[in-house]
Each structure stands twice: as C-alpha cells, then as structure tokens.
Amino acid sequence: MKKLKKVIIPAAGLGTRMLPATKVIQKEMLPLAGKPIIHYIVNEAIKAGFTEIILVTNENKISSESYFETSFELETALSKISNKTLLKEMREISNLKAKIINVKQNKPKGLGHAILTAESLILDEPFAVILPDMIIDSNYNLKNLALMKKNFEKTQVSSILLGKCKKSETQNYGIVKVKNKNSKNNFLEINDVIEKPNPKKAPSNLFVAGRYVFSNEILRYLNKEKPDLSGEIQLTGALYNFLKDSKTLKGLLLEGDIHDCGNKLGYLIANLAFSFKDKKIKREVLKFIK
Ligand code: G1P
C-alpha cells in the first residue's frame, strides 16, 4: 500500500480575472484577512498530512517562492524592536512541517501541463493536487482532502472533491456524473466528467472543487493528452480518458464553505468570510455595512 506524501499546487496562472492586481503579483500571494492565499493552501496540505509540497510557479511575478524562505533582514529588525509575537509568526512561515519545493512552468499551457512540470519530482509515487483558487473554510482542514488522503492509503483508489453549484454555474467548472448517490462511506463513484458544460449539457450540478488525489497512472493519461483549442493541456481530458478505460475514480462531497478566489467577487466574499473569524472585526464590518 503506497502512502501519499506529495502534493502539487499549480500557482503559475496568468490571473487574468484579477488584473491589474495580478500584473506583477502572483494571484496566490493576494491576502485573505491579512495572510496570502497560498499560506492557507499550504496549511491545508500540512494539516491533511502531506510532507512534500511542490509549488508550480512562473518566473515573471513576485512569487510565493521567497514567502516561505527565511527573511534574515526582517527577523533581525523584529528582534531589535523586541516584537516577539511577530518574530515567532515569521519564523513559523519558514519552518513549516513540510518541505516546500519550487518548480517553474515556463509557458501558460494549462493545468495538465502544470502537473506534468512536476512529474520528475513525483517519480512513481501517488500524489495530490490542490487548486489554490478554491479556498475552503480552514475549520474543515481535517475533512475533505485529509479524508481523501486516508481513503487512498486504505484503498489505493483515486478521488476528487465535489461541491454543489447552481445549474447556471456549470460552465465555470468541471462537472461529473456519479453512479450511486447512496454509497456507504461517503465516496461516490464517478463515471463521467466534462469540462465547463453549459447548463443544458451538464450531467449534474456536482462540480470539481480543486482537490484531487491520484494514483501514479494518471501521469500516463496526462502525457497522452493533446492541447485543446486554446493550446492548454486539460486535466479533465486526462480524467475523461482514465474513466473511459474503466479505471475507478471516486468523489467526496465537500464539507464547509468554498470560495472561488480567482475572480474579484469571490475574492471579496472570501475576504469577508475569513475576516469574520475575528469577532471584533466582524462586529465592526457589519456595523459599517449597515
Ligand atoms: C479548473 C478545472 C475545473 C475545476 C476548476 C475548479 O478550471 O479545470 O475542472 O472545476 O478548476 O476551480 P479553471 O478554474 O482553472 O478554469
């Protein structure tokens, strides 16, 4: 039985829906309640038990790479002014319980290509993928991806996390068709997946929520995948062919709120939701909104 240690976080997208903020800043570095999005995502991976985190970034933007490194200058300055709380907080960021490895995706050729960029680090192991646009309430860090990891280590079966969207939103996501909605251990059996279908063609309202756990053989399918019309290699295409070969893929229904931080409205709402975890801030913001 193979254990899951590695997780790939593709964070090299152009961030077009968040321009101009993302012209020079990687979108995963934008703050949610004062902390960069990528920090929550890395925490989620660590809480789930992953020990090697592979960040796929692009070389043109101010990136998460240095965020997880030690900043001697800052630490010296904080020591001088005896700000112990902040100093501790800064040290924790560069002393995580997992190893962070950075790889560069040199061309914006899609999610499938981003995963393949990390292939030489995965070798013959299983791995997970987290899409950092989709932020899940951190109170649920021990559900969702953590449960998918546990299930994989018991069964060696690949799985993806599923959310429920409005019918009118199916064209924003990968949408799945499931076999039995009443499975015993909460994992549903998926038998089809289609990328961004219009509501009329969508087989359900269950969307792919950006958390995946894969046996190594998905890499073979990704390597066979041809670029789509926009020149991108799609993970959904590889999953479609994986299912066509009668391989098993399970789906876990997510627990907790999920926010799409890849667009301005979703990002604003996520900022409110995460800021509201601080009762005082919540009170003040609600007063202001009123
Ligand atoms: C990607 C995936 C899609 C998934 C979505 C979740 O799309 O291709 O299947 O539902 O992430 O955020 P993207 O948002 O990169 O266009």
Side-chain angles (χ1 to χ4, degrees):
M1 287 287 188
K2 294 216 173 189
K3 293 264 179 219
L4 263 169
K5 290 180 281 189
K6 300 179 178 177
V7 54
I8 301 175
I9 304 180
L14 293 176
T16 33
R17 290 180 297 163
M18 296 297 277
L19 283 168
T22 47
K23 189 178 170 204
V24 292
I25 300 169
Q26 189 189 346
K27 70 172 184 285
E28 295 74 16
M29 284 303 292
L30 295 174
L32 262 192
K35 204 157 80 177
I37 291 172
I38 194 74
H39 195 150
Y40 293 98
I41 296 290
V42 163
N43 276 351
E44 178 186 340
I46 294 174
K47 283 268 164 62
F50 290 90
T51 50
E52 283 179 50
I53 298 174
I54 304 167
L55 295 181
V56 182
T57 56
N58 94 36
E59 55 199 358
N60 302 322
K61 296 188 186 179
I62 296 173
S63 82
S64 48
E65 197 170 331
S66 37
Y67 181 75
F68 292 105
E69 284 164 4
T70 305
S71 169
F72 291 109
E73 228 175 292
L74 180 61
E75 287 188 14
T76 315
L78 291 173
S79 312
K80 269 194 193 142
I81 57 169
S82 301
N83 194 330
K84 289 208 179 104
T85 318
L86 265 183
L87 183 60
K88 184 168 170 272
E89 205 182 316
M90 293 309 107
R91 284 193 172 142
E92 275 168 8
I93 300 172
S94 49
N95 280 305
L96 297 171
K97 279 199 197 119
K99 193 161 99 187
I100 306 255
I101 305 151
N102 293 280
V103 291
K104 302 283 181 199
Q105 184 184 14
N106 47 15
K107 286 188 190 118
K109 284 175 69 179
L111 174 56
H113 181 260
I115 296 171
L116 286 174
T117 307
E119 187 176 12
S120 61
L121 297 166
I122 297 295
L123 302 170
D124 62 348
E125 290 185 46
F127 61 98
V129 176
I130 306 184
L131 304 189
D133 272 0
M134 301 303 276
I135 291 278
I136 301 173
D137 183 345
S138 43
N139 291 344
Y140 292 82
N141 272 345
L142 297 178
K143 304 277 180 178
N144 306 316
L145 182 65
L147 295 183
M148 290 160 67
K149 180 176 186 293
K150 270 194 193 140
N151 186 62
F152 182 86
E153 290 175 346
K154 231 175 10 192
T155 63
Q156 306 286 290
V157 169
S158 301
S159 66
I160 60 186
L161 191 67
L162 301 173
K164 285 184 186 159
C165 67
K166 293 188 197 129
K167 259 283 185 195
S168 59
E169 291 170 344
T170 58
Q171 45 216 336
N172 299 331
Y173 304 107
I175 301 290
V176 300
K177 187 170 165 200
V178 292
K179 210 185 268 172
N180 57 0
K181 282 199 171 150
N182 304 315
S183 142
K184 267 185 245 146
N185 65 355
N186 297 332
F187 280 86
L188 309 168
E189 182 138 359
I190 294 175
N191 47 20
D192 201 3
V193 56
I194 158 167
E195 185 68 4
K196 307 194 173 90
N198 75 42
K200 280 194 192 129
K201 288 207 176 128
S204 74
N205 67 338
L206 296 176
F207 74 96
V208 179
R211 305 295 182 272
Y212 311 77
V213 159
F214 291 131
S215 64
N216 193 268
E217 64 179 338
I218 195 70
L219 290 176
R220 192 158 48 82
Y221 287 86
L222 271 174
N223 274 306
K224 277 197 281 191
E225 203 49 31
K226 300 256 168 353
D228 64 10
L229 292 176
S230 58
E232 296 196 350
I233 295 177
Q234 294 294 349
L235 173 58
T236 305
L239 286 177
Y240 173 84
N241 287 317
F242 181 83
L243 288 166
K244 232 166 96 187
D245 279 355
S246 305
K247 307 276 182 189
T248 310
L249 180 67
K250 298 276 182 168
L252 177 68
L253 278 181
L254 81 86
E255 280 192 53
D257 286 337
I258 186 164
H259 305 283
D260 185 350
C261 282
N263 68 75
K264 288 173 186 168
L265 179 61
Y267 174 69
L268 172 66
I269 293 173
N271 249 303
L272 285 178
F274 277 69
S275 302
F276 281 7
K277 286 177 188 291
D278 181 320
K279 283 204 181 97
K280 198 170 153 224
I281 290 184
K282 181 175 179 179
R283 204 171 49 235
E284 292 299 321
V285 173
L286 288 179
K287 215 190 316 172
F288 172 76
I289 290 174
K290 230 173 168 182

